[in-house]
Amino acid sequence: MSVTPRPPIPSFIPESAPFTPEQRLWLNGLFAGLFGLEESVTPLSNIEAAKWLTGLLDGEAAAATAEADDGAPWHDPAMPLAERLKLADGKPLPRRFMAAMAQQDCGQCGYNCKDYADALFANSEKRLNLCVPGGKDTYRTLKQLYQELDGTPAAKPISVMPPLITRRGYSRDNPTYAAFLSRRRLNKAGSQKETWHIDIDIENAELDYSVGDCLGVFPRNDAALVDAVVTALHAPPDFPIADRTLRDELTDGVSLSPAPDMLFQLISYLTGGERRRKAKQLCAGEDPDGDAATLDVLAALNKFPGIRPDPEAFIEALDALQPRLYSISSSLRSNPGRVALTVDAVRYAIDDRIRLGVCSTFLGTRIAPGDKLRVYIQKAQHFALPENPCTPIIMIGPGTGVAPFRAFLQERLATEAPGRNWLFFGHQRSACDFLYQDELTALRSSGLLTRLTLAWSRDSDEKIYVQHRMREVGRDFMSWLNDGAHVYVCGDAKRMAKDVEAALVDIVAQYGSRSPAEAIKFVGELKANRRYQADVY
Ligand SMILES: Cc1cc2nc3c(=O)[nH]c(=O)nc-3n(C[C@H](O)[C@H](O)[C@H](O)COP(=O)(O)OP(=O)(O)OC[C@H]3O[C@@H](n4cnc5c(N)ncnc54)[C@H](O)[C@@H]3O)c2cc1C
Ligand SMILES: NC(=O)c1ccc[n+]([C@@H]2O[C@H](COP(=O)([O-])OP(=O)(O)OC[C@H]3O[C@@H](n4cnc5c(N)ncnc54)[C@H](OP(=O)(O)O)[C@@H]3O)[C@@H](O)[C@H]2O)c1
């Protein structure tokens, strides 16, 4: 298997010292961290660390984790979990771990799907609940598979961890503080969406980013929801938990969204009879009343009224509040000391209560100008402008998928890159959902944006999506591809990205005079050559 090249680490350990190269690397990294030399060390991401670690596993274990040529047929975010597991059935444990992930390679867990799986297998990562898009289903499956880990002869956990040398602010495990500056609504009256342009001051955080990177944000729960949970618990909000209070923990320590299995387990200890049976069933992933999918923490407490869990045990039973990622929608070159995001506020009603997406409404409503927030830069793995500034680019970004492309365009403007730029943007209604309309039309008029192709899904009875527009201009699209264009897609992983790829294959077949099989191969080569890059969620 191939091992990721090691990042440069200054040498503290002489070559003559009695260490293996791996031990020397580990110790050098450790000392670099201890002596505060992180600035001079290329950050080693969890992904790189996991790859390196996997490379250290010997023989059988490495073979089991590698399996790079099985094609990972389950690696499709649109495929249901049961189908993914079926495809991985009989494969070595790390591959089944991988199939349990949401397959978005979104980086929210700090890895990509394969590396998170390998890190679990290597025992260098013990947290099973990091796959945010996979949610409880992924967690439960991992928990089950994890039981096999002890009995697997191939699993040879190594006793030392490679140091995760990350500068402060460059990983979810080592975030930093930035200051919230402002928000402005991007939709006009009449929109069904609530999309915010967010500006954050990173000057004092000394963060550096490239276009294509994401910002990880640690949110805080809604104060009214925290109050409601405290009331349902019948506990004092200032109940001490370690050096914090119950309210502190509920505000930024734990997730109040889907009620975790552990909470139902706790509830089962505190109830009897029919209620205990139901709590146990919910804990086991069953759905006795048909409402399991709607049970956030508050709804779970309300379903079992009158229980009085010890506040500390209650907090222990909840999941940690996880950071969320947002594509950065600015270029540092044109916005020194600033980072911009484009955030769609998630709100939906269940029964008569409005549920809030924790991070999107934190950014869209709750945080105030001047407030500090915990953030980190998630470096993009393979989502970047082409190295050659003359290379044409085609960007496909409906909805908030436009975010990184605003950054790309700012970067190309700031660097006076001569390459042509074509943006496909789509949203619900032209009158109110044309995000960044002024900027984009100005860039179009200035010529920086060579083409701007728009798709409105709710302007007429007919759904017009970006992929429909791509097909309409397929001949030109193919001509750009023949000129070496790089293609980018950003936004919804489940449906849009798949449909866009299908349209690309059709265009290559029709206008590139290729058979369907040849067109699929051509698109595969675009991907392999990093000429087709996706940032989907
Ligand atoms: C690499 C990457 C880049 C991203 N970039 C952006 C970006 O630029 N802009 C952006 O807005 N987002 C972006 N996201 C998504 C973002 O990270 C969050 O997932 C999103 O903001 C929702 O988070 P939240 O905390 O607000 O919602 P959560 O509290 O996580 O709630 C969302 C969950 O609520 C549930 N839900 C949502 N709607 C409904 C409904 N109608 N009915 C029932 N249940 C529902 C679903 O289970 C959903 O997973 C990106 C994600 C990744 C991985
Ligand atoms: N989990 C999901 O199913 C899902 C999907 C998308 C977005 N989201 C969430 O919604 C928020 C972001 O929304 P957003 O502002 O980016 O907009 P969006 O909801 O992704 O919609 C943007 C545009 O894409 C259209 N669209 C829908 N299906 C499509 C498809 N298969 N191919 C191409 N275009 C398609 C939409 O049309 P119509 O709406 O008119 O059909 C709309 O015009 C985020 O919080 C994200 O996590 C969730």
Side-chain angles (χ1 to χ4, degrees):
M1 68 162 296
S2 70
V3 178
T4 304
R6 294 190 315 226
I9 292 180
S11 190
F12 294 89
I13 306 295
E15 291 291 314
S16 56
F19 295 114
T20 65
E22 288 78 23
Q23 287 166 331
R24 190 173 300 116
L25 175 72
W26 188 90
L27 288 165
N28 280 331
L30 181 69
F31 285 123
L34 280 178
F35 294 134
L37 294 184
E38 297 94 328
E39 300 296 327
S40 62
V41 176
T42 305
L44 178 61
S45 70
N46 282 355
I47 298 173
E48 289 159 337
K51 280 195 178 142
W52 181 66
L53 180 65
T54 306
L56 290 184
L57 295 175
D58 58 351
E60 212 178 348
T65 58
E67 289 277 321
D69 55 1
D70 69 7
W74 53 81
H75 196 47
D76 175 353
M79 192 183 285
L81 176 65
E83 222 171 292
R84 297 202 303 270
L85 294 175
K86 216 162 134 192
L87 284 173
D89 196 25
K91 298 269 178 197
L93 193 52
R95 306 305 278 166
R96 284 180 284 140
F97 275 146
M98 181 190 172
M101 310 298 177
Q103 311 304 316
Q104 293 186 11
D105 279 344
C106 63
Q108 286 190 89
C109 59
Y111 307 87
N112 62 36
C113 301
K114 178 182 180 298
D115 293 329
Y116 181 23
D118 287 351
L120 288 176
F121 181 70
N123 240 352
S124 65
E125 174 62 74
K126 293 187 169 35
R127 294 168 294 180
L128 300 180
N129 60 352
L130 296 182
C131 181
V132 173
K136 276 169 83 164
D137 290 341
T138 292
Y139 171 65
R140 283 191 183 124
T141 311
L142 289 177
K143 214 163 77 175
Q144 248 173 8
L145 291 172
Y146 207 66
Q147 290 170 2
E148 288 182 40
L149 193 59
D150 283 344
T152 306
K156 291 181 184 154
I158 58 171
S159 53
V160 288
M161 271 277 292
L164 299 186
I165 303 168
T166 50
R167 265 196 292 161
R168 192 163 144 83
Y170 289 87
S171 91
R172 54 177 283 154
D173 297 325
N174 191 10
T176 188
Y177 282 95
F180 183 84
L181 279 177
S182 61
R183 65 173 69 84
R184 118 181 108 84
R185 178 103 186 251
L186 291 170
N187 330 86
K188 299 196 184 100
S191 176
Q192 290 176 348
K193 285 280 188 178
E194 185 194 320
T195 313
W196 297 95
H197 176 80
I198 306 286
D199 276 312
I200 293 171
D201 181 347
I202 54 168
E203 189 118 43
N204 294 331
E206 292 180 9
L207 287 178
D208 185 19
Y209 64 85
S210 305
V211 295
D213 291 347
C214 286
L215 188 76
V217 176
F218 283 83
R220 289 197 285 275
N221 284 311
D222 176 43
L225 180 61
V226 170
D227 285 344
V229 170
V230 168
T231 305
L233 279 176
H234 307 282
D238 57 356
F239 186 96
I241 295 179
D243 55 351
R244 298 186 8 119
T245 65
L246 174 62
R247 172 180 288 285
D248 294 340
E249 285 295 333
L250 291 173
T251 300
D252 62 13
V254 294
S255 166
L256 298 180
S257 298
D261 296 347
M262 286 273 285
L263 177 60
F264 293 118
Q265 192 170 354
L266 177 67
I267 292 172
S268 75
Y269 298 149
L270 303 170
T271 49
E274 176 66 6
R275 291 188 350 139
R276 168 173 290 182
R277 194 179 58 79
K278 280 192 179 168
K280 280 185 165 172
Q281 283 179 303
L282 286 162
C283 177
E286 294 166 31
D287 193 0
D289 297 326
D291 60 354
T294 70
L295 296 176
D296 65 356
V297 169
L298 180 60
L301 289 175
N302 289 337
K303 187 175 172 75
F304 297 92
I307 55 161
R308 298 195 178 229
D310 168 68
E312 204 164 346
F314 174 73
I315 293 294
E316 276 288 305
L318 301 184
D319 286 337
L321 188 51
Q322 307 240 26
R324 306 294 197 263
L325 289 180
Y326 294 92
S327 309
I328 291 176
S329 56
S330 54
S331 154
L332 206 45
R333 286 181 208 274
S334 37
N335 307 269
R338 300 277 184 272
V339 61
L341 308 177
T342 308
V343 177
D344 186 69
V346 174
R347 292 173 208 275
Y348 53 96
I350 291 185
D351 300 329
D352 48 5
R353 179 152 65 87
I354 302 288
R355 307 287 175 97
L356 305 176
V358 58
C359 196
S360 57
T361 58
F362 168 64
L363 292 167
T365 318
R366 295 194 292 281
I367 189 165
D371 285 358
K372 294 256 184 293
L373 72 168
R374 273 200 308 158
V375 300
Y376 63 96
I377 300 291
Q378 173 85 38
K379 298 301 287 177
Q381 286 300 301
H382 299 296
F383 197 77
L385 279 170
E387 270 174 33
N388 183 347
C390 299
T391 303
I393 60 172
I394 302 177
M395 300 162 281
I396 303 154
T400 51
V402 73
F405 303 138
R406 178 177 186 263
F408 278 19
L409 290 169
Q410 286 188 355
E411 182 83 359
R412 282 219 153 184
L413 185 63
T415 56
E416 296 179 11
R420 287 172 290 152
N421 306 300
W422 187 353
L423 174 67
F424 287 82
F425 174 70
H427 217 324
Q428 294 181 352
R429 295 177 180 83
S430 54
C432 50
D433 295 311
F434 193 168
L435 311 182
Y436 301 114
Q437 177 171 10
D438 293 349
E439 287 179 27
L440 293 175
T441 48
L443 287 174
R444 175 76 192 93
S445 305
S446 75
L448 188 276
L449 193 48
T450 320
R451 287 185 77 159
L452 175 60
T453 303
L454 303 167
W456 306 111
S457 57
R458 302 193 191 183
D459 268 3
S460 66
D461 291 341
E462 194 190 353
K463 285 267 183 202
I464 306 284
Y465 289 156
V466 281
Q467 61 271 22
H468 300 128
R469 295 294 188 223
M470 285 167 62
R471 284 195 168 90
E472 284 170 11
V473 292
R475 188 180 303 281
D476 293 351
F477 201 111
M478 190 67 221
S479 150
W480 279 54
L481 283 179
N482 288 334
D483 292 343
H486 286 209
V487 181
Y488 301 86
V489 59
C490 180
D492 171 43
K494 287 214 157 53
R495 300 156 302 165
M496 183 276 295
K498 221 174 156 61
D499 294 348
V500 162
E501 186 169 331
L504 181 58
V505 168
D506 290 350
I507 288 168
V508 171
Q510 187 174 351
Y511 299 102
S513 306
R514 286 172 172 83
S515 69
E518 287 167 342
I520 290 170
K521 187 162 170 266
F522 181 93
V523 171
E525 282 163 4
L526 286 182
K527 284 184 188 171
N529 297 329
R530 307 252 183 265
R531 280 186 55 200
Y532 182 49
Q533 302 183 7
D535 175 21
V536 294
Y537 42 91

